[in-house]
Amino acid sequence: MEINATFLGQAVAFVIFVAVCMKYVWPPLMNALEKRQKEIADGLANAEKAKKNLELAKSNASETLRQAKAEAQKIIEDANKQRSMILDRAAEEATSEKARIIAAAKSEIEAERNKVRAELYSEMSALVMAGAEKILDKKMDASADHQLVKKIVDSL
């Protein structure tokens, strides 16, 4: 290999090219690469942080859902207890109302029976008096008396 002026010219041009590249091209490229590396690292850190936040949110959602189910179950139990209490109270009120109605009906029946008994007593008294008057007005023999009493009884 022979070293001549062309080779030296090319070597000098190469050194100048490298110096210009190192001075003007290399720093912006390195800045761009460092900026990109930093963005990638930040993106990975944010992704990891988001993954942790997602896991935390999942566990919080699971806990919230469990609490909501427990609260719903408690509300259902309370509603069932209240329903039972209302049904028991309604049954007691119905029983007392039934007893009151029965007592009122019995007293009304007793009053009506006493009223009918008094009416029958007064009618019977009137009929006995009428029968006695007829017997006394017309005194016949025993068979006539028997027929008159039978007639009075049949008219009742």
Side-chain angles (χ1 to χ4, degrees), residues 26-40:
W26 191 259
L29 281 177
M30 288 308 290
N31 285 338
L33 284 175
E34 286 174 4
K35 184 178 176 185
R36 183 70 178 147
Q37 282 179 341
K38 185 176 186 269
E39 287 176 0
I40 291 172

Side-chain angles (χ1 to χ4, degrees), residues 19-74:
V20 168
C21 283
M22 294 275 292
K23 176 93 174 157
Y24 297 106
V25 176
W26 191 259
L29 281 177
M30 288 308 290
N31 285 338
L33 284 175
E34 286 174 4
K35 184 178 176 185
R36 183 70 178 147
Q37 282 179 341
K38 185 176 186 269
E39 287 176 0
I40 291 172
D42 289 345
L44 289 174
N46 287 339
E48 188 65 31
K49 192 182 292 184
K51 186 177 177 182
K52 287 179 183 177
N53 287 341
L54 178 63
E55 290 297 321
L56 182 63
K58 281 183 181 178
S59 75
N60 286 344
S62 173
E63 179 65 22
T64 303
L65 184 60
R66 187 190 61 74
Q67 287 175 351
K69 283 182 180 179
E71 188 174 333
Q73 186 64 33
K74 183 177 182 282

